Amino acid sequence: MPEPETTPTDWSAAAAALRPDPRPWIGGRRVEVDTGRGFRSENPATGATVAELPCCGAADIEAAVRSARTAFESGAWSQLSPRERGRKVRAFAEQVRAHAQELALLDTLEMGMPIANALGDMQEAGGHVEAIAEMADKLLDEVIPNDPSAWVLNIREPHGVVGAITPWNFPAYIGISKVLPALAVGNSVVLKPSEIASLSCLKLGELAAAAGIPDGVFNIVPGLGGEAGAALALHKDVDVLTFTGSTATGRRLLEFSGQSNMKRLILECGGKSPQIVFPDVADLDRIAEAIVGGITFNTGQVCVAGSRLLVHRSIADALVARVVERARAVEPGDPLQESTGFGPLASRGQLERVRSHVAAATEQGAAMLLDGTPASAGGACFWSPTVFADVTPGMRVAQEEIFGPVLSVMTFDSEDEAVSIANGTIYGLTATVWTADLGRALRLARRISAGAVTIGADPTGGRVDATTGAFEPHRQSGLGVEGGLGGLRSFTRLKSVTFKP
Ligand code: NAD
């Protein structure tokens, strides 16, 4: 059992004492790379440099893929019994718990997530990995009973080398939850984390080694998307690419697969999730609370954020007044204070993206009920909750993913109209329906095009429970299954074996 860390009382002091290692992890150790070029990660709460990282490229990706392939072919991991792999995955969960504070602090520094949320994320990640460990030996093969003179088996085997490309919004959590299912079923992995926040993911290699996962099975290479990410996506010896990020990048990865080796893709991309509120609901205060939580958690930088409020015209004024009042009370704070619940946006690029979407909404005629523009943020990336009413479904603010604390309010008069607006974007990630009418709830659960539909529960944070439920995005929110046993199955392929004496 690894030693637990002692909890810092002063997170700023703990941050100042950190010496994060920016080097890639290949073949079970940190390696020196001489790329001649680097990139900087920046603390969005202060503008200060957190680390200088190497711009790894095709040669480093090549070394990592070779290391992963050699480890896979050796059988040291791929041929281990699933139960034994499960034990080591559980040991990895213990490592995550033991290093939760360092992982959380790295994410807070690089992308501004409040430290209390980042710590919560690592608790959740530990539980998620434990669940994966329990599932490792539960993928049962099948015997097909169609020929009494033969045994026809459908067996599942690991693909080989899995590439993983991750975003910055939950850096360590998404890194862990993408990689561990692939490892649990015997694959080797090369992970390319986001250039905005790579340090927590780079730390995961050491945790894997301490958990007894053999050298070369898990490799991590930092770098820019268009360089290291593209090299991984175009590599001909990568069998599967699992990706979380924007729909635009997801589309590029489909092209790269076609241009290289038709590698399988699992894509978890963007969303513009609706919150649909019918007039039969009882408690508008609770719903307003949940809606504000859903658009302000992680400063709105959540793929499943409920960024479109669709409310029945008869209750729109009453609900929107409550939403605005609560959103106005959400104050940005220093992410290194444990009392802070709302931090800055993750980067200057993200700040500019939010600013331009807000300007476009105003230009297109949406009514700004709450202005989140910061008075003066210095070098920091703060932006407060912003609410637009009089939004029509065709406006950019109703169609495009903003990835910030910006809520668009639209009204409807009938169930059909609500469904039509809800389904009227390119996305189909999640949706929440607030109604007391069970028949309506069941109808909408089927009619709404989304990978996950929540009926009247608190969507704060909105994250799908990936430990138990499998999830498959609709339309341009992605493709392939993540979460639960289905998520493990995504990292295996089916083989038919016939015994016919
Ligand atoms: P992004 O697409 O810009 O980057 C994601 C990753 O892809 C990064 O590691 C980046 O370096 C890499 N990348 C960028 N261009 C590339 C290229 N040409 N080739 C290969 N790799 C490339 O996304 P982001 O801004 O980091 O993250 C925000 C997006 O992630 C949002 O759209 C959000 O909805 C989505 N997201 C989705 C989920 C989900 O489960 N569906 C979860 C979290 C985030």
Side-chain angles (χ1 to χ4, degrees), residues 21 40-41 53 70 79 84 92 138 144-145 149 179 187 233 292 339-340 354 389 409 415 438 444 476:
D21 192 335
R40 219 164 69 82
S41 77
L53 294 103
T70 304
Q79 297 297 317
E84 187 52 32
F92 183 86
K138 305 293 182 301
I144 313 299
S149 67
V179 165
N187 297 285
V292 172
S339 55
T340 296
V354 170
V409 184
E415 188 177 305
L438 195 54
L444 264 73
Q476 294 183 47

Side-chain angles (χ1 to χ4, degrees), residues 11 57 112 120 130 137 165 183 219 225 230 270 291 327 361 378 407 410 421 433 442 447-448 468:
W11 287 97
E130 278 160 11
D137 62 353
I165 300 181
L183 292 179
N219 308 274
I291 286 165
L407 182 69
M410 285 168 271
I421 299 173
V433 180
L442 291 175
R447 292 183 72 192
I448 290 175
T468 49

